Structures are given as C-alpha cells and as structure tokens.
Amino acid sequence: MTATKKQRIINCVTQLPYKIQLNESSNIWKLSPLSGNSALFSSLNYLSNSKDYEQVVVGWTGEITREDDLTAQLLEQQKQQQQQQQQQSQEKSQSIDEVVEDSTITASNHDNPTESIPLEADEPFYLTLNQMDDLTNALNSKDEKNYNPIWLLRKDQNRWRQYAEKTIWPTFHYILNPADIESDSKGKGEQENNWWYDYVKFNEAYAMKIGEIYQKGDIIWIHDYYLMLLPQLLRMKFSDDNILIGYFHHAPWPSYEYFRCLPRRKQILDGLVGANKICFQNEQFSRHFVSSCKRLLDSTATKLKDSNGFDQYQLSAYGGDVVVDSLPIGVDKDQLLKDAFTSDIDTKVLAIKDAYQNKKIIIGRDRLDSVRGVVQKLRAFETFLAMYPEWRDQVVLIQVSSPTTNRDSPQTIRLEQQVNDLVNSINSEYGNLNFSPVQHYYMRIPKDVYLSLLRVADCCMITSVRDGMNTTALEYVTIKSNQQATNYDCYGNPLILSEFSGSSTVLKDAIIVNPWDSVAVAKSINMALKMPIDVKENLQAKLSPEVPTIQSWTDLFLESLTSLNDNHVDRKITPALNRPILLQNYKDAQRRLFLFDYDGTLTPIVQDPAAAIPTAKLYNIMEKLAEDPKNQIWIISGRDQQFLNKWWGSKNKNIGLSAEHGCFIKDVNSPDWVNLTEKVDMSWQERVSKCMEEITNKTPGSFIEKKKVALTWHYRRAVPELGEYNAAELKKNLLIFCDDYDLEVMDGKANIEVRPRFVNKGEIVKRLVWHEHGSPQDLLKPVKETIPREQMPDFILCLGDDFTDEDMFRQLNTIEEKWETKFPDGKNKLGHYGVYPVTVGSASKKTVAKAHLTDPGQVVETLALLVGKVSLFQSAGTVELDSRGHVKDSESSKKSQIATEKYTLKRTASSTSVTKAQN
C-alpha cells in the first residue's frame, strides 16, 4: 500500500528555539533551550511528529556567543606545567617562552595566515563553512526538526532586532516615542533608518533561504512582527500564483490612530498583504488591521463567517483576496500536566509551602517591560494590604520578573528602579524582620521552578496593560485543572486577569480586572483569597475548556489556509515591484524607456488639480535620469498642453510629453506639439458640455475642465457621497449617445472624462515602443511592427495609477506576447524582456499590471534608487546576501570573504597549536 505523501510546511520563526554558544577551542556547539515563545515551540514539536505534515523550520540563529575559552585554560595549565618543570631542571633545551610561543595562539601579525589570534568579544564574529555545517547538523540531530539556520553574523548581532523591538514593538503596544531610542551624533532619524535597513535585510535573508528550499506545493507559515515584509518578498520571488502563504501575528495589533504613527506604515502593510491568510490572537486585533489597510492602502473588505461560524474579513488587495481572521494560540495541555506533576516538582511544592506556612501565596511571572503591568500589580497589592489589614502577615506575593533583551536601556533601568522602590516601600510598610510580603526575583527561573510556583499558588495575578496572548494564564488554568492533585491543594485556585490581555478574550470566566484601578484589583484579590472551595471548583470547570490546545490551534490554522483552495478566493495577488531586480535590469540595459502618468503617480492627488506641482526632489531625479543618453523619458498624462509645458516642457527639453491621454504629443527635444485628432469632428463637445453643466449645477464643489480634445467633470471638492451619486448619473446620461460620436467615457479619480475613443495612452505606448530607440518620432505615420529587437527598448518602466493607465499596461503585455513569438531569444539574463508595467496607489483596484507601488512617494524612491540617491534597502526586494548580511559580490562582501578566509586559516593554525600543546 502506497503511503500518503505528507504536506510540506515551511515554518518561519524569528529565532530557532535555542541559545547557541560556540567553544572556540574544542569547536563544539552548545545548545540551550530558549525561554519564551513556549507555545510556538510546542507547535513546532507537534508538527515535527505529525503524520500529516512534513515540517521544515527556517529561523535566525540568534546572537551566537562564545563559551569560556578552553584553549586559554589549556594553555595556562601547560604554562604552569612548564614552570614546574623549569624549577625542577634548569637544563631543559627548550625554554617556557619557546613552548608558549610554539603552542599558544599569538596576536603578533593579523595578516600572517600561518598564525592565529583569539577572538575577543568586541571583534567581528566569523565562522568557517565547516562550523556552520556542524551547527546545522547539531541542531537537526538534537530534535529532528529539519532546521535551516539563517546566518547573519556581525560583531553587533543584535542589530537585526533593533527596528522590530525599538520601533514596531512599542507602537504595537501603544507606546509612542520610546525613551530608549538613543540620541547620537548622527541623530535619531539616521539611527532609525539604519535599523530599518537591517530589518529589510533580515526579511530578505529569509526570502533567500526559502528560495533555496521551496518546492512546488509547499505551504509557507510566517510568524510575528520581525517578518512582516516576508510575505510580499515571497510574492516577488515566486511567480507561482498558487503558492500558499500564511502569517500569524502573535503580538497585539494597535488601532489605526496608533499604527499610523509608524513612519513606514504602508511598507509594513504592503509586506503583510502578500500573504493569503493573516491571523491574529483575537477579533479586535484583526479589525484594527483591516481598518489600517482600508485607510492607508485603500483596500476594501467584506465581513464574513468562516466554516466554524467565526467572523473573518475578505480583504481585497492588489487584485487578490486576503483572508483576515483570528485564532487564539493555545498550550500543550497534556505535556504541561505531565511536566508539572512529577516527584521532583512535588518536592519543590512542599518546600515552598513549608517556607510560607499558613500563608496564602499569590504568584506573578512577567517579563519586566512597560506593558506587563508589574508596577500596576505591586500598586494593587499595596492597596490590598492597606484596605484589608487582616491579610497582613497572612499573604505573600512571589513576583518573578524576567529580564528583557533591552535590559540596559534607559527605559528599562527606570522601570527596574520603580519596581525596586515599590517592593521596598511595601516590605518596609507591611513587613517585619521575619517576613517580607513581596518576594521579587529579577531573573529567569528554570522551568521546574516555574511549574512548582504555578502549582503552589493560591492565586495568580496577570495585570498586563497590553499583550497579545499571555500563555502564563493558559498554563496556570491548565495546571489548576488537575483534580488528581488533591494532596497539594492544587485544583481550582482562581486567576486574576487583566482585561487588556489578549487572554481575557479566551478566559472569559476568569476574574477580569482593570489593572489601572488599584482599588478594584485589591477587592478582586480579597475576593479570590476568600473564595469558597465549591465556587473555585465551579469556576475551574468553566475555565478549563476555554484553554485552547496548541494542537488544535496548529491544525485549525493549517486547515483554514489549505481550504482557501476550495473557497473560490481570488489568490492572484499583484506583487510589489521588486526594486533590486529592477535596478539590476536597469544597469544592464542599453536602451531604456520610461513611461509615466502624472497625477497620482509622480505627484499625489490633491484637492485642487492646479496645486499638483512637481517637487524639487522629483525635478532633480528626473534631470539625473534624462542626462543619461541611454534613457528616454515620457510623461503621458490627462493634463493639457499648457500645464505640461509650464512644469515640464520649459524645465527639461529631454522629456517627451503627451497631453490629454494621447491626443497631443511633443517629442523629446522638440518645441512643437502634434495634434493627433485635428481631423476629428469635435461637435460632440457641445452636447457633452451641456450634460456636464446640468450635473455641475446639482453638485456644489464640482467643476468642468475644458481641454482642446477632452472634457472632464471633477467632483473632488464635492461632498463624496453626492459626488459619487451624480457621477453615476452623468455617466449613465453620457453613455446614451457616446456611441454616436465614437466617444469613450472614463472613470478617473473623482472625475469623469470624455474623449475620442481611438486616442488613448495605450496607442501612444505602442508608438513609442515600436520605434528605433533614441531617434525622432514621426507622429503622423502609422506604427510599424517590423523594427529589429536590437533597436527597440530593452528596459521599459511604465507607471500609472488609474483606469486610463490600464491601456498602457495592456498594450505592454500585448507587446511582450508578440515578442515571445518574434524574438524568443531576445530575453535578458534575468529571463524576460525588461518590461515593467507597474500600477501605483489603491490596493482595491483590479489591474493588468505585473507589479505595484503603494503611492507616489514610493515612485520617487524607486527612481532615486536607479540614480543612486537612496539605499538599496529603503524598500524590500529579493537581494542575495552573504552570511554577514552584505549584498553578495559587493565590496563589503568581498572584504568579509577575505576576513573569513583569514579566520579559517588562523583556526587551522590554532588547531595545530592546541594539538601540539596536548601532546
């Protein structure tokens, strides 16, 4: 019987579940389980043992550290032995100095490949290929999870965390302008830019690794806010429309009013909507996300019910549908109960009870940061002791506060001081020489100690002011559900839970409190400690089923993701423009053609069309592009000749212009306009003008723009609802007679335009492409499609934002199809013809373009990248990086390669020296 093929899952996590250390002397890797993210790591364990799935885990190694240098210890022992021998006999032929010189790692000449030096903590971190292979083998032999490490080795390895932890995390937890952003000589702005570039590289490194291991049919599952650019990067990398990408956001998602404060908010949203499914811990977070997409990307969303009856959103984004819903994470209940009830932990439980005989024990375990509510918890406990003096000397709060990765930041130091002051204040006020009511431990505790505390607790307090899902709450309820542990008074002790924790949406029968209300929390503590046993048991009976299991969470997420194949969801998403590939194509090309719309593309849409003037930055970039003789630039706009002449024709003669959607053309370096419609009957304008005037009179704020060939009715300044209603009425009236005059009625952005049907932007694009690049245009002659490929453009970037620009994109797609037949061998080294039709702006529109940019700001950034004015990492793209985060084959990469080779040789010399010392 043939075995059923397992579904492959590529699971992308921020960091592999180990703290990794290298012993430089013995070349042995030490792997210690990483604390935190226990629920996610349980999911990895579950999938690794699944009968239905084959799991591949992709994750960063984290900050690799060095163990104590055993080589140095060995050499010190050798030196001592030699000294003893020298004291016993002065007639040795070889001196101690010679032995040391022969067997130690010297630092006399860093450039001599025959010598080796010890790697100090503040020096660059290098690894040989063999060392990397050894770690990969060590990881996979330990857990058999098919780990694929992401290598990003630097002296300052924590640089890859900075943007996620110091910019994104505070905003997602409703903290603006965090105080621990350091001010240096470069200024905060440049510092945050550098963090952003590293964040982009971090995501690009994952995309590169996935590109190496992806197989058709794989499901890609991405976790949390460190990797929010990755879904879109994978859309850029793979042309397969059927690729399934799921993203789970473990942290909170803030309301739009907070999220909009992120300076790169659109790029983050744009990165996420590359996924087919985006999932949050609760419905509130998913609602906030959808709101942000609607307001910033102009997406549309429909609220539906999923197969289980839960709310979900179908978000329209760049031609496809993205499913947005919520699914609270769970814990591995069976494993947790197995680990928590052992003889070893029984002993620890009894020891804790003996230490606090006849006292109620309240437990708190939190990371010590500004959102976990440790300060609020201590204030509430202080209020409790003040309000209920009968509990003094009868209750103890054991608070375990785990250090954060930013322990040395000013904000964390201030928080530490605040907590210490509160602890000292409570203990001095309500304690005595023999007893302190608050026992505060600022440390990471072993798992067995943590479980024993959960078991011994009479009450657990979680007073987060903001979090995604507090798994301590889930673990506490699970442990308290063990009815067999009656000897230890474990079953059913209550949980006090903050309403601002994501867990409160799951554990609805816990004692829910507002952590900012110390009096109310104090009353809840009193109620919890006095709660009768039968009430506790009834409460526990309600709470236990509310805790989701990690197994069901994993299965439900993957089942809902794979079900998208059967739910008639449009999965064809137009990817973001892959700017690194565009830049490479641009550099290789010899004949480049740029085709730009104006309003909404080169400049933002504004209330007054006359105010949409180019910026100095745009002028400078366009001038730089136009200076290159390989480039030919055209602006193809609905604007009239006068506007385009004023702002472009008079400024730069090297830019070709097309006005009124292709009715008028002015060639590059030509002073004259050519009217392509001069022989057309224009009597239609009178009738159209009359229709527009009638609607204008009924729509305050609207107006008519009369061009030489086209008529446009604008309602941008009108009340939106009224403008849209009357625009529909106007279009209906115009369509009655437009066929009689061979007219086209077009919907623009808050406008209706009427023009002759035979003239459009697509026809202009066709004329410009089927033409010998760089030669003057004969605009009145018919287009000839017999031009040799080597005379036509080998790079075409076409940018536009509205319905009229789809004619350009459609024409370019048609041209590319013809080239496939006529010039099958004419593709570039990237495997295509260098044609880039790119839509700009709203995510809700359907398009035939092959890529998108979110707004005119990204257009300017893209053009600036081509002329070398912005960093390659200003926006995400598929970049090949080396193991140190440098672009492959760049100068920095070559220097790192040389340094790594030197390190390899020095390690070889070091191994030889150690061998001699051992012998």
Side-chain angles (χ1 to χ4, degrees):
M1 183 175 179
T2 305
T4 305
K5 184 179 178 181
K6 291 184 177 182
Q7 170 65 60
R8 245 174 59 119
I9 308 292
I10 299 178
N11 227 329
C12 304
V13 296
T14 300
Q15 183 176 349
L16 297 176
Y18 295 103
K19 179 182 178 182
I20 301 174
Q21 292 179 302
L22 173 65
N23 187 288
E24 289 282 331
S25 316
S26 60
N27 205 31
I28 294 175
W29 291 100
K30 179 180 178 181
L31 306 178
S32 306
L34 197 66
S35 60
N37 291 320
S38 58
L40 176 56
F41 296 154
S42 295
S43 176
L44 299 184
N45 289 333
Y46 171 64
L47 282 175
S48 68
N49 299 314
S50 172
K51 296 179 181 179
D52 300 318
Y53 299 106
E54 175 190 349
Q55 178 179 232
V56 179
V57 180
V58 177
W60 177 42
T61 60
E63 294 88 345
I64 298 175
T65 58
R66 299 172 177 82
E67 250 194 329
D68 293 336
D69 194 344
L70 296 183
T71 300
Q73 297 175 18
L74 174 64
L75 295 175
E76 181 62 29
Q77 293 172 4
Q78 180 72 18
K79 184 176 180 179
Q80 292 174 359
Q81 291 173 2
Q82 293 292 340
Q83 287 173 338
Q84 292 173 0
Q85 291 173 2
Q86 187 181 42
Q87 291 172 0
Q88 294 171 359
S89 174
Q90 296 295 330
E91 297 179 355
K92 292 278 185 183
S93 61
Q94 190 177 37
S95 71
I96 294 175
D97 289 340
E98 289 174 333
V99 171
V100 172
E101 182 179 339
D102 190 43
S103 61
T104 59
I105 304 172
T106 66
S108 59
N109 185 352
H110 289 217
D111 296 323
N112 189 337
T114 64
E115 297 177 350
S116 186
I117 61 171
L119 288 174
E120 302 296 338
D122 60 346
E123 290 183 354
F125 194 96
Y126 295 102
L127 292 176
T128 66
L129 290 176
N130 286 338
Q131 287 174 324
M132 293 183 189
D133 290 341
D134 288 345
L135 174 59
T136 303
N137 293 333
L139 286 165
N140 291 322
S141 64
K142 189 174 183 67
D143 279 345
E144 299 182 355
K145 285 190 178 63
N146 197 355
Y147 287 121
N148 290 264
I150 299 291
W151 301 101
L152 288 169
L153 307 171
R154 287 288 184 91
K155 174 176 64 176
D156 50 341
Q157 294 178 72
N158 69 344
R159 65 187 297 162
W160 311 111
R161 298 180 182 275
Q162 299 302 307
Y163 192 79
E165 295 184 357
K166 292 187 176 180
T167 301
I168 295 175
W169 185 91
T171 305
F172 281 10
H173 290 81
Y174 292 80
I175 303 169
L176 300 181
N177 298 318
D180 60 340
I181 293 183
E182 300 154 7
S183 179
D184 56 18
S185 58
K186 296 180 180 179
K188 295 181 181 178
E190 186 168 348
Q191 182 187 56
E192 193 165 324
N193 280 339
N194 291 332
W195 292 348
W196 170 254
Y197 299 154
D198 287 336
Y199 183 77
V200 171
K201 289 180 184 179
F202 189 78
N203 282 258
E204 288 171 345
Y206 276 76
M208 187 176 74
K209 174 60 72 174
I210 293 169
E212 295 171 1
I213 63 176
Y214 175 76
Q215 299 173 10
K216 190 175 179 63
D218 286 355
I219 290 175
I220 301 174
W221 189 358
I222 301 166
H223 295 272
D224 227 6
Y225 59 93
Y226 291 81
L227 299 173
M228 290 192 290
L229 304 180
L230 185 54
Q232 192 62 253
L233 279 168
L234 296 175
R235 288 282 164 214
M236 298 180 199
K237 195 170 189 69
F238 301 110
S239 57
D240 183 6
D241 291 334
N242 294 318
I243 186 172
L244 267 179
I245 302 172
Y247 172 87
F248 191 89
H249 193 80
H250 294 260
W253 190 276
S255 70
Y256 166 71
E257 292 302 326
Y258 273 82
F259 179 77
R260 67 191 293 210
C261 298
L262 278 174
R264 291 176 173 85
R265 56 202 184 176
K266 285 188 179 181
Q267 286 162 279
I268 289 171
L269 291 179
D270 194 50
L272 286 174
V273 296
N276 300 99
K277 175 184 174 70
I278 302 171
C279 199
F280 296 87
Q281 297 281 16
N282 61 47
E283 199 275 333
Q284 180 190 53
F285 298 156
S286 62
R287 187 174 69 250
H288 288 332
F289 173 78
V290 169
S291 174
S292 296
C293 289
K294 290 167 72 174
R295 299 187 188 201
L296 292 171
L297 299 183
D298 194 33
S299 297
T300 57
T302 305
K303 194 170 185 179
L304 305 169
K305 295 286 186 182
D306 64 14
S307 56
N308 297 313
F310 298 115
D311 288 340
Q312 69 176 25
Y313 296 88
Q314 190 164 300
L315 186 73
S316 295
Y318 302 111
D321 294 325
V322 180
V323 173
V324 180
D325 64 3
S326 58
L327 182 67
I329 199 168
V331 293
D332 189 342
K333 288 185 176 182
D334 293 339
Q335 188 63 48
L336 187 61
L337 290 170
K338 181 179 178 181
D339 292 342
F341 291 90
T342 65
S343 58
D344 177 58
I345 292 183
D346 286 347
T347 303
K348 288 182 171 61
V349 169
L350 293 174
I352 296 171
K353 283 183 172 291
D354 287 343
Y356 300 103
Q357 288 184 11
N358 302 318
K359 289 181 173 59
K360 295 288 188 179
I361 298 174
I362 301 174
I363 293 298
R365 200 284 294 261
D366 309 273
R367 202 163 61 231
L368 191 60
D369 59 41
S370 56
V371 303
R372 303 301 168 182
V374 176
V375 169
Q376 286 75 12
K377 184 184 302 182
L378 291 171
R379 285 175 177 162
F381 186 67
E382 183 177 35
T383 304
F384 164 73
L385 294 177
M387 290 176 61
Y388 301 98
E390 65 273 19
W391 283 111
R392 297 173 192 174
D393 202 38
Q394 299 300 312
V395 63
V396 61
L397 169 62
I398 302 177
Q399 172 62 36
V400 178
S401 302
S402 304
T404 68
T405 55
N406 295 322
R407 184 171 183 174
D408 296 329
S409 71
Q411 187 182 29
T412 303
I413 292 171
R414 284 195 297 272
L415 182 60
E416 279 182 46
Q417 186 61 52
Q418 190 177 9
V419 168
N420 288 335
D421 290 346
L422 276 168
V423 171
N424 292 333
S425 173
I426 295 169
N427 287 338
S428 62
E429 181 70 23
Y430 300 106
N432 53 54
L433 290 175
N434 300 316
F435 174 68
S436 296
V438 178
Q439 300 293 320
H440 182 234
Y441 299 93
Y442 189 25
M443 59 187 293
R444 297 185 186 277
I445 58 174
K447 183 178 179 181
D448 56 347
V449 176
Y450 168 61
L451 295 177
S452 64
L453 288 174
L454 292 185
R455 278 187 53 182
V456 82
D458 294 291
C459 175
C460 179
M461 281 183 69
I462 294 170
T463 51
S464 309
V465 296
R466 191 72 57 182
D467 67 23
M469 181 62 63
N470 193 301
T471 53
T472 298
L474 305 181
E475 290 165 346
Y476 178 78
V477 171
T478 299
I479 286 175
K480 292 303 182 183
S481 67
N482 188 357
Q483 292 179 298
Q484 308 304 317
T486 53
N487 292 339
Y488 300 93
D489 190 25
C490 184
Y491 181 74
N493 289 334
L495 168 69
I496 296 175
L497 180 61
S498 166
E499 65 182 79
F500 299 109
S501 170
S503 307
S504 65
T505 62
V506 175
L507 303 175
K508 297 179 181 178
D509 289 292
I511 301 173
I512 306 297
V513 297
N514 176 0
W516 298 101
D517 188 345
S518 299
V519 173
V521 178
K523 291 179 179 178
S524 296
I525 296 172
N526 181 60
M527 179 183 72
L529 296 181
K530 288 184 173 180
M531 189 175 289
I533 292 177
D534 59 332
V535 177
K536 289 182 184 180
E537 292 178 350
N538 289 335
L539 193 61
Q540 184 66 44
K542 294 178 181 178
L543 279 173
S544 294
E546 294 174 354
V547 178
T549 66
I550 197 64
Q551 293 84 355
S552 65
W553 176 79
T554 304
D555 289 338
L556 285 172
F557 183 90
L558 291 173
E559 287 169 8
S560 64
L561 183 58
T562 54
S563 71
L564 297 180
N565 290 324
D566 308 320
N567 290 348
H568 308 293
V569 174
D570 189 350
R571 287 168 49 191
K572 182 177 174 57
I573 298 173
T574 304
L577 178 62
N578 196 339
R579 276 164 278 194
I581 298 298
L582 179 80
L583 176 62
Q584 182 182 345
N585 201 162
Y586 175 83
K587 289 179 176 179
D588 295 340
Q590 301 300 310
R591 303 174 302 279
R592 308 171 187 135
L593 178 62
F594 294 88
L595 307 167
F596 301 140
D597 176 42
Y598 183 70
D599 292 283
T601 301
L602 294 179
T603 61
I605 297 290
V606 293
Q607 287 292 327
D608 182 0
I613 61 176
T615 63
K617 182 178 181 180
L618 178 61
Y619 272 139
N620 291 335
I621 293 170
M622 294 286 274
E623 186 174 346
K624 190 77 174 174
L625 280 174
E627 286 174 358
D628 192 326
K630 296 178 182 179
N631 296 343
Q632 192 166 84
I633 303 171
W634 282 79
I635 295 176
I636 306 173
S637 172
R639 294 285 189 155
D640 60 23
Q641 298 159 269
Q642 182 181 2
F643 181 91
L644 293 180
N645 252 337
K646 178 179 179 180
W647 295 108
W648 290 103
S650 62
K651 307 286 185 181
N652 196 323
K653 306 296 183 184
N654 293 324
I655 296 178
L657 302 174
S658 173
E660 299 192 29
H661 299 293
C663 296
F664 300 89
I665 294 183
K666 186 168 83 70
D667 199 3
V668 175
N669 291 318
S670 172
D672 301 320
W673 287 88
V674 176
N675 183 356
L676 300 183
T677 63
E678 59 185 355
K679 296 182 181 179
V680 178
D681 178 13
M682 303 298 290
S683 61
W684 58 268
Q685 286 189 330
E686 183 177 349
R687 188 170 179 182
V688 170
S689 179
K690 185 176 180 181
C691 281
M692 288 184 173
E693 286 172 0
E694 291 175 358
I695 292 294
T696 301
N697 292 334
K698 297 193 295 184
T699 316
S702 66
F703 63 95
I704 302 170
E705 182 184 3
K706 295 184 178 180
K707 306 173 184 177
K708 289 188 177 179
V709 173
L711 290 176
T712 307
W713 180 71
H714 294 274
Y715 57 93
R716 197 173 299 159
R717 299 177 187 171
V719 175
E721 292 78 10
L722 179 62
E724 290 168 6
Y725 178 83
N726 286 340
E729 182 183 346
L730 174 62
K731 186 175 182 179
K732 180 181 177 181
N733 294 338
L734 292 172
L735 289 173
I736 294 173
F737 60 86
C738 67
D739 287 340
D740 298 339
Y741 296 93
D742 197 22
L743 301 176
E744 185 171 18
V745 181
M746 298 180 300
D747 285 298
K749 290 198 174 175
N751 67 63
I752 299 287
E753 180 160 303
V754 182
R755 68 179 184 194
R757 184 171 287 151
F758 77 94
V759 177
N760 61 57
K761 290 183 176 183
E763 290 299 312
I764 299 302
V765 166
K766 180 179 179 181
R767 180 179 293 278
L768 295 176
V769 174
W770 290 100
H771 178 74
E772 182 180 348
H773 186 76
S775 65
Q777 291 276 351
D778 190 344
L779 298 168
L780 296 178
K781 285 188 176 181
V783 175
K784 293 184 178 179
E785 298 185 3
T786 55
I787 304 294
R789 178 72 184 98
E790 60 271 14
Q791 293 182 6
M792 288 187 288
D794 57 354
F795 174 91
I796 304 172
L797 177 60
C798 180
L799 304 173
D801 73 304
D802 67 15
F803 177 77
T804 63
D805 300 311
E806 293 296 314
D807 292 332
M808 294 197 293
F809 306 149
R810 200 171 289 109
Q811 185 63 244
L812 286 175
N813 291 339
T814 300
I815 290 172
E816 203 167 17
E817 290 172 5
K818 290 181 179 179
W819 284 359
E820 288 279 358
T821 303
K822 292 172 68 72
F823 312 113
D825 299 324
K827 295 181 179 180
N828 57 31
K829 66 181 184 181
L830 298 173
H832 56 81
Y833 293 98
V835 180
Y836 295 90
V838 182
T839 186
V840 180
S842 173
S844 62
K845 64 190 174 191
K846 297 286 185 179
T847 182
V848 296
K850 294 183 178 178
H852 76 262
L853 293 171
T854 58
D855 56 29
Q858 281 203 338
V859 170
V860 175
E861 277 184 8
T862 301
L863 301 181
L865 174 65
L866 299 183
V867 298
K869 296 289 187 181
V870 300
S871 167
L872 180 64
F873 301 103
Q874 190 74 25
S875 297
T878 55
V879 178
E880 294 290 309
L881 301 174
D882 64 16
S883 62
R884 305 185 65 75
H886 299 303
V887 178
K888 283 187 177 179
D889 299 324
S890 67
E891 287 302 315
S892 297
S893 181
K894 290 175 182 176
K895 289 178 182 178
S896 289
Q897 181 63 31
I898 292 171
T900 303
E901 290 170 357
K902 288 182 179 180
Y903 169 70
T904 303
L905 291 171
K906 290 170 184 175
R907 277 209 54 77
T908 303
S910 172
S911 298
T912 303
S913 299
V914 172
T915 301
K916 287 182 180 179
Q918 289 173 330
N919 294 331

